[in-house]
């Protein structure tokens, strides 16, 4: 007698097929596709060299232009603040968890509701004290920050590179304060 409901065997086959399909989809998301999106078109997000990992441009980690220490043993060492010819300033550094708990940068994000990454440095700012201006992290055409994202699960003793791009202050401005939420500011010099 046919009750119109699938048998247990049919449901198991369907569940197995769905699980296999999801595994293929998830596995395809992590590939090295050179920055292409799901539609095969190049991504509009800033791509980093493969050796830096996590979408963060490489910085000269031997150079230190500033350092800030925050709660729970988290420290950010700033390596460079470089003015680009395109009208941007890129600040690069390293975040280190010197504490005893896993660190997630959820408090470092901006208050924007459209951001996909909850753990990022999108709340960072550059402050020109003399000109009384605050510069926010730039956004790409999809509204995502031009900064380090996915900054979560930083274990005690672990370090990761971080970066953020800002609109460049006027050329005469050579010194700004770099600020992250929950952290004190660090005065840094902008190099060309």
């Amino acid at each position: 007698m046919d009750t119109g409901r699938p048998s247990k065997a049919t449901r198991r086959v369907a569940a197995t097929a769905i699980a296999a399909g999801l595994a293929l989809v998830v596995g395809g998301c992590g590939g090295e596709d050179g920055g292409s999106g799901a539609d095969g078109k190049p991504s509009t997000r800033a791509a980093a060299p493969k050796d830096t990992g996590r979408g963060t441009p490489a910085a000269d980690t031997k150079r230190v232009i500033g350092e800030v220490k925050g709660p729970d043993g988290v420290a950010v060492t700033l390596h460079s603040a470089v003015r680009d010819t395109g009208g941007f300033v890129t600040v690069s550094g390293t975040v280190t968890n010197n504490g005893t708990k896993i660190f997630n940068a959820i408090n470092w994000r901006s208050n924007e509701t459209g951001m996909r990454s909850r753990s990022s440095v999108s709340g960072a700012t550059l402050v020109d004290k003399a000109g009384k201006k605050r510069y926010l992290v730039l956004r790409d055409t999809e509204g995502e920050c031009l900064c380090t994202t996915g900054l979560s699960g930083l274990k005690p003793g672990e370090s990761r590179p971080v970066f953020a791009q800002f609109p460049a202050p006027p050329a005469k401005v050579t010194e700004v304060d770099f600020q992250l939420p929950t952290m004190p500011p660090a005065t840094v010099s902008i190099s060309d």
Side-chain angles (χ1 to χ4, degrees):
M1 174 169 120
D2 184 13
T3 62
R5 295 169 53 192
S7 69
K8 284 185 180 180
T10 304
R11 288 193 304 255
R12 284 187 189 132
V13 169
T16 302
I18 290 170
L22 286 174
L24 287 172
V25 168
V26 170
C29 291
E32 296 282 335
D33 64 352
S36 295
D39 57 2
K41 295 178 183 174
S43 173
T44 57
R45 295 190 50 120
K50 288 184 182 179
D51 61 337
T52 62
R54 300 208 184 259
T56 302
D60 179 6
T61 57
K62 294 175 187 161
R63 184 171 180 232
V64 176
I65 64 168
E67 184 172 50
V68 292
K69 294 181 180 180
D72 299 323
V74 175
V76 177
T77 304
L78 300 171
H79 304 298
S80 66
V82 179
R83 187 185 308 268
D84 301 333
T85 56
F88 311 111
V89 170
T90 302
V91 176
S92 299
T94 303
V95 60
T96 303
N97 184 354
N98 297 312
T100 58
K101 299 185 286 186
I102 290 179
F103 174 72
N104 295 307
I106 196 156
N107 291 328
W108 290 357
R109 75 182 193 279
S110 69
N111 292 329
E112 296 171 69
T113 57
M115 297 288 293
R116 282 181 263 165
S117 177
R118 294 181 47 102
S119 296
S120 70
V121 294
S122 61
T125 60
L126 289 183
V127 177
D128 169 10
K129 290 187 287 189
K132 298 181 180 177
K133 287 197 173 187
R134 179 180 302 267
Y135 298 89
L136 306 177
V137 176
L138 291 168
R139 303 295 187 251
D140 67 13
T141 56
E142 295 172 1
E144 289 296 313
C145 72
L146 295 178
C147 67
T148 300
T149 60
L151 189 57
S152 60
L154 188 65
K155 297 174 186 166
E158 187 178 7
S159 295
R160 289 192 195 154
V162 292
F163 85 99
Q165 286 189 324
F166 302 89
K172 66 181 180 179
V173 176
T174 59
E175 195 172 84
V176 292
D177 280 355
F178 175 80
Q179 295 182 330
L180 273 171
T182 74
M183 307 282 271
T187 301
V188 296
S189 295
I190 299 174
S191 61
D192 290 325

